[in-house]
Amino acid sequence: MVPSSSPILYSLTLFVSLFFLFLFAPQILPPLRNRHRQPLISPQDELDDLRLFREATTRGGSSKISHLGTINPKPKIAFLFLTNSDLVFAPLWQRFFESSGNGDLFNVYVHVDPSTKISTPEWLVKANFVPARTTARASPTLISAARRLMANAIIDDPFNLYFALVSQHCIPLHSFNFVYTSLFGNPSSASKAFLTQRSHKSYIEILSDAPYLHNRYVARGDGSLLPEIPYDKFRVGSQFFVLAKRHALLVLKERKLWRKFKLPCLDLDSCYPEEHYFPTLLSMADPKGSSHYTLTRVNWTDSVDGHPHLYHQSEISPELIHTLRKSNSSLNYSYFFARKFSPDCLKPLMEISNDVIFRD
Ligand SMILES: *[C@@H]1O[C@H](CO)[C@@H](O)[C@H](O)[C@H]1NC(C)=O
Ligand SMILES: *[C@@H]1O[C@H](CO)[C@@H](O)[C@H](O)[C@H]1NC(C)=O
Ligand SMILES: *[C@@H]1O[C@H](CO)[C@@H](O)[C@H](O)[C@H]1NC(C)=O
């Protein structure tokens, strides 16, 4: 009995093992799978985006102050939240927006990866959820998502003159009024901003020197960015920026560089298209129009796998906020936002929000 049942037992065991391997392998191996399957932008997505960007540049480009229909218009900041997880710092942002004392000075737009379910606190109900598509690291989808946010904001409200891109891991370091007056001057004279838009600076990091820059340049293959982007024009910068409207429009009109940056990467370890497309484009098109630094503080000390330092609950203190605000540069500017913060930071941040963060 025993010898004859043995082969059957073996086969059965083998079958069962294979079955379980088949069942659980996708959960055991997701990083490997994802690395080899970048979501590409489908021709249909590309067409939809083109239509959206064209509408934005047509409408946004022609909204003259005389068409705004208001005697004393106030410019607004469009806050663009790009996320693929829940917005855990929404309560802090809500306090930030409430600190404005005036809901007419900003708009909020959110691009949520379609695979993400997000809880909707009160201010999110007021927020505009823009039609979103899949986003993924090491792919040009993050560029598309940022452009979609800008396009929707431009179409939605001609009073949006600055576009601040943030993520779910970002927090404010100042009150709303500090951010607003830094960009537009004090609210009583801010309506001038419509007339002086041409001189508005964009706040985006633009660096010509960084470790592994050449690996990033050839991430799609040798010479793949030529002839549009010679190596000496290739730039790197933070993914998060505050763009003036004329630059947001420029980014939405742009086709030449996008045709190259949308190519899939072959070397995924050196592939961060969103950290190159915007800085390279603005540096080529209007180098004097940008600060070349970002207003979003990030701590790259001991970064792992391209991720910056993630702040935890125990690190939150008034001193940290004061330290993060200060630029380490002769330009002596103050950061507006910081990242990345883990969800457990919400509580201690809320506790110091009114006395520290929103006290400038
Ligand atoms: C930056 O991160 C490192 C750890 O990676 C930490 O020791 C340091 O205090 C952080 N710096 C600031 C200014 O928060
Ligand atoms: C500030 O910058 C200088 C030179 O760029 C650098 O040596 C120093 O470590 C920086 N300090 C901090 C706190 O980042
Ligand atoms: C930087 O600016 C702050 C506030 O505007 C000022 O108090 C400080 O003295 C300035 N520091 C330097 C080194 O210029």
Side-chain angles (χ1 to χ4, degrees):
M1 283 304 273
V2 171
S4 74
S5 76
S6 205
I8 296 172
L9 201 64
Y10 278 133
S11 321
L12 201 67
T13 313
L14 189 65
F15 176 78
V16 169
S17 319
L18 282 175
F19 176 75
F20 277 98
L21 192 64
F22 175 77
L23 202 65
F24 291 114
Q27 280 135 58
I28 298 166
L29 302 170
L32 197 64
R33 267 190 349 143
N34 288 346
R35 291 176 78 78
H36 294 281
R37 276 216 339 223
Q38 294 187 58
L40 289 174
I41 298 162
S42 74
Q44 188 57 51
D45 290 359
E46 182 77 8
L47 275 178
D48 291 347
D49 279 349
L50 268 177
R51 207 172 298 129
L52 174 70
F53 301 164
R54 203 169 289 136
E55 187 187 345
T57 52
T58 310
R59 285 222 243 153
S62 69
S63 58
K64 300 261 160 40
I65 188 160
S66 57
H67 298 159
L68 294 173
T70 311
I71 308 279
N72 204 8
K74 292 275 185 287
K76 298 180 190 179
I77 306 172
F79 287 85
L80 314 176
F81 286 84
L82 176 53
T83 185
N84 60 359
S85 68
D86 204 4
L87 290 165
V88 290
F89 295 114
L92 184 64
W93 283 103
Q94 181 176 355
R95 251 182 224 180
F96 168 81
F97 290 123
E98 282 167 4
S99 78
S100 75
N102 184 346
D104 293 336
L105 301 179
F106 65 89
N107 284 303
V108 177
Y109 304 87
V110 189
H111 186 291
V112 191
D113 186 275
S115 68
T116 305
K117 280 229 168 15
I118 120 164
S119 58
T120 45
E122 218 167 291
W123 73 266
L124 283 179
V125 177
K126 177 183 181 292
N128 305 280
F129 286 81
V130 312
R133 300 202 192 275
T134 301
T135 49
R137 231 177 154 223
S139 85
T141 54
L142 291 168
I143 299 175
S144 301
R147 293 170 106 197
R148 252 172 244 136
L149 278 162
M150 287 189 269
N152 278 284
I154 284 173
I155 293 167
D156 179 57
D157 192 336
F159 287 58
N160 288 328
L161 295 196
Y162 264 111
F163 301 82
L165 184 69
V166 288
S167 80
Q168 72 272 35
H169 303 293
C170 292
I171 62 157
L173 293 176
H174 278 287
S175 70
F176 178 88
N177 289 331
F178 179 93
V179 170
Y180 188 87
T181 43
S182 301
L183 293 175
F184 293 124
N186 77 55
S188 64
S189 65
S191 52
K192 274 208 315 274
F194 290 98
L195 302 169
T196 54
Q197 278 187 65
R198 297 234 128 258
S199 65
H200 284 177
K201 220 193 314 185
S202 284
Y203 297 89
I204 177 170
E205 190 174 45
I206 301 177
L207 306 171
S208 54
D209 189 21
Y212 310 112
L213 191 67
H214 194 263
N215 294 7
R216 287 158 166 249
Y217 182 65
V218 296
R220 298 157 195 83
D222 262 336
S224 54
L225 298 183
L226 290 172
E228 289 86 351
I229 310 144
Y231 182 56
D232 67 350
K233 301 272 192 240
F234 188 63
R235 296 290 182 271
V236 60
S238 151
Q239 182 192 351
F240 300 98
F241 49 64
V242 178
L243 290 195
K245 183 168 182 174
R246 72 180 192 289
H247 289 147
L249 288 167
L250 187 141
V251 163
L252 296 176
K253 280 196 192 117
E254 204 284 317
R255 306 268 179 274
K256 209 167 79 182
L257 270 56
W258 169 242
R259 214 173 292 137
K260 289 300 172 79
F261 276 99
K262 77 175 180 186
L263 296 172
C265 291
L266 306 175
D267 172 7
L268 295 190
D269 292 325
S270 303
C271 184
Y272 303 94
E274 73 285 359
E275 292 183 357
H276 295 279
Y277 175 70
F278 300 102
T280 301
L281 170 58
L282 287 177
S283 145
M284 288 173 83
D286 185 12
K288 295 217 173 78
S290 298
S291 64
H292 293 226
Y293 58 78
T294 176
L295 295 172
T296 302
R297 176 77 178 246
V298 56
N299 180 352
W300 287 110
T301 311
D302 305 328
S303 81
V304 178
D305 190 23
H307 291 290
H309 178 65
L310 181 69
Y311 287 97
H312 284 283
Q313 188 169 28
S314 60
E315 292 172 275
I316 304 301
S317 68
E319 293 71 39
L320 178 69
I321 301 297
H322 291 136
T323 304
L324 294 180
R325 282 175 177 174
K326 267 191 242 125
S327 67
N328 181 22
S329 130
S330 56
L331 297 169
N332 195 27
Y333 57 92
S334 184
Y335 286 102
F336 289 0
F337 318 113
R339 73 185 185 104
K340 291 171 83 163
F341 290 80
S342 75
D344 63 7
C345 296
L346 178 63
K347 191 162 170 283
L349 285 170
M350 290 297 276
E351 281 164 12
I352 60 169
S353 62
N354 290 333
D355 292 340
V356 180
I357 300 176
F358 304 139
R359 180 163 298 171
D360 311 298

